[in-house]
Amino acid sequence: MKALVAVYEDWGIGRDGTQPLVIPADRKFFREITGNSPIIVGRRTLEDFPGGRPLKNRPNIVLTRQNIEIEGATVVHSVEEALEAVKDWGDDVFVVGGESVFNAMLPYCKQAYVTKIAANPGSDVFFPNLDQDPEWKCTDPGQELDYEGIKYRFCIYDRVK
């Protein structure tokens, strides 16, 4: 299982239910890397997807405490149910947020694709700072890129412990 996230300088991932600063190349990277693979997502993050609907061409596993049904998605209510829903996919599963889903599922991830955006738009939700976690190592810091004066890079972290 892998985490896929865009973080700002403070490891923030969003504010008021959305990403305050979006890099189009990051959205393209998201589409390309997840391909047809299952994604595990929280209900509030799903609401920020286009049309507030599950993404097409891939299984959407929605981890939520609410007793709801979501057309086009499998709704689960625990980490164990999420793991069961993706058990046949091996490592080809992506955890895509938000904060509580990342916190619950990160212990099961072996790799993290982190888009680091050199900006601080003031987040109210955060991803764990992998640079300060001895269980993780940045194995590919990526090339510095630029979008309208904002520097960013696609980094890969591997779990080392």
Side-chain angles (χ1 to χ4, degrees):
M1 189 172 306
K2 302 165 186 152
L4 179 59
V5 64
V7 302
Y8 306 112
E9 291 174 330
D10 61 355
W11 288 80
I13 58 174
R15 182 180 68 232
D16 299 326
T18 191
Q19 285 182 297
L21 179 60
V22 173
I23 305 290
D26 179 57
R27 293 282 170 97
K28 180 180 179 192
F29 179 72
F30 180 101
R31 285 188 306 273
E32 289 175 355
I33 197 142
T34 59
N36 296 322
S37 300
I39 59 169
I40 299 174
V41 61
R43 178 194 50 81
R44 287 183 299 210
T45 299
L46 176 73
E47 290 173 358
D48 195 40
F49 284 4
R53 306 296 312 148
L55 298 178
K56 295 178 181 177
N57 303 321
R58 72 204 80 202
N60 287 242
I61 313 303
V62 180
L63 179 56
T64 180
R65 290 183 205 92
Q66 294 186 349
N67 189 15
I68 58 174
E69 290 185 18
I70 300 171
E71 185 179 337
T74 300
V75 176
V76 297
H77 301 99
S78 68
V79 168
E80 294 76 23
E81 284 183 55
L83 293 172
E84 179 67 21
V86 298
K87 70 180 181 183
D88 295 331
W89 288 86
D91 290 337
D92 199 24
V93 175
F94 292 89
V95 178
V96 299
E99 180 181 47
S100 63
V101 172
F102 281 131
N103 288 335
M105 300 305 299
L106 195 60
Y108 302 93
C109 293
K110 295 179 181 176
Q111 198 168 54
Y113 292 86
V114 180
T115 303
K116 288 187 169 182
I117 302 170
N120 194 347
S123 298
D124 59 16
V125 288
F126 298 85
F127 188 82
N129 184 334
L130 299 185
D131 289 330
Q132 295 179 354
D133 188 333
E135 290 189 18
W136 291 90
K137 180 179 180 181
C138 181
T139 55
D140 183 350
Q143 170 186 345
E144 185 174 78
L145 303 167
D146 182 274
Y147 171 71
E148 296 183 352
I150 300 167
K151 304 293 183 200
Y152 68 98
R153 59 180 64 231
F154 297 109
C155 305
I156 300 174
Y157 288 78
D158 288 299
R159 183 178 294 279
V160 293
K161 292 186 182 180

